[in-house]
Amino acid sequence: MSSGKRETNLRFLAEPGDVNFGGKVHGGAVMKWIDLAAYACSAAWSGKYCITAYAGGIRFVEPIHVGNLVEVSAKVIYTGRSSMHIAIDVQASDPKELQNRLTTHCIVIMVAVDENGKPTEVPEWVPQTEDDIKLRESAIKLMNMRKQIGEEMEAHVKYLK
């Protein structure tokens, strides 16, 4: 049963160990934070253990600097039978100024699984506001686009053999 908690926010400071050769936080660290937030959000919504099925459309908009206060916001924007589409925004700021700027955003699809690792049903999320309806419609459009891309990738793999 869902706790009804649709949104999750993780906050922490970017550490020196997160830096790439260019002196900024590396994309791998950001992707790990995205996955953690998606898990926390999907588990809170479904009340179940969840696994990552897809992470896509990741846009690195601005760099994150060591010492920045990072906030990773996750929100359910669509539910299927066992899947949850989670919109993720990563923002960062100098902790002395607290003026957040968008650094990264993407969509992650999480799947709830039972104790045997099999997909299991999740509570339906029904949009209540006009903005939520638009988010859900966008998630459906992206889902259809992913299917087309998947078909094209399958055709591409055949040519590589």
Side-chain angles (χ1 to χ4, degrees), residues 8-159:
T8 300
N9 292 301
L10 305 181
R11 296 179 84 188
F12 47 87
L13 293 173
E15 300 181 82
D18 300 324
V19 175
N20 64 19
F21 296 111
K24 310 290 190 298
V25 171
H26 63 85
V30 176
M31 291 169 69
K32 177 182 175 184
W33 301 335
I34 287 169
D35 196 51
L36 291 171
Y39 171 76
C41 183
S42 60
W45 177 260
S46 67
K48 300 174 182 177
Y49 180 70
C50 299
I51 59 172
T52 307
Y54 176 87
I58 298 174
R59 298 287 181 258
F60 295 99
V61 180
E62 285 196 30
I64 299 172
H65 305 279
V66 169
N68 276 176
L69 180 61
V70 178
E71 184 167 348
V72 186
S73 302
K75 178 191 297 189
V76 174
I77 62 168
Y78 176 81
T79 53
R81 190 187 68 74
S82 62
S83 65
M84 294 150 283
H85 295 222
I86 313 292
I88 307 279
D89 281 341
V90 181
Q91 298 192 35
S93 65
D94 181 324
K96 299 181 295 296
E97 298 171 8
L98 296 178
Q99 292 180 318
N100 274 354
R101 66 191 196 297
L102 181 67
T103 64
T104 312
H105 62 95
C106 68
I107 301 290
V108 177
I109 300 174
M110 303 296 289
V111 174
V113 295
D114 63 18
E115 56 279 347
N116 298 313
K118 302 294 183 199
T120 185
E121 288 190 23
V122 299
E124 181 181 8
W125 172 70
V126 179
Q128 301 296 316
T129 67
E130 190 173 323
D131 285 346
D132 284 346
I133 291 168
K134 288 178 182 174
L135 283 171
R136 184 177 185 276
E137 288 172 355
S138 176
I140 292 168
K141 284 181 191 173
L142 289 170
M143 187 170 41
N144 292 331
M145 291 169 66
R146 276 192 302 278
K147 287 178 185 173
Q148 290 177 330
I149 291 169
E151 290 168 6
E152 191 62 34
M153 293 296 287
E154 285 296 318
H156 181 77
V157 169
K158 291 177 187 174
Y159 295 122

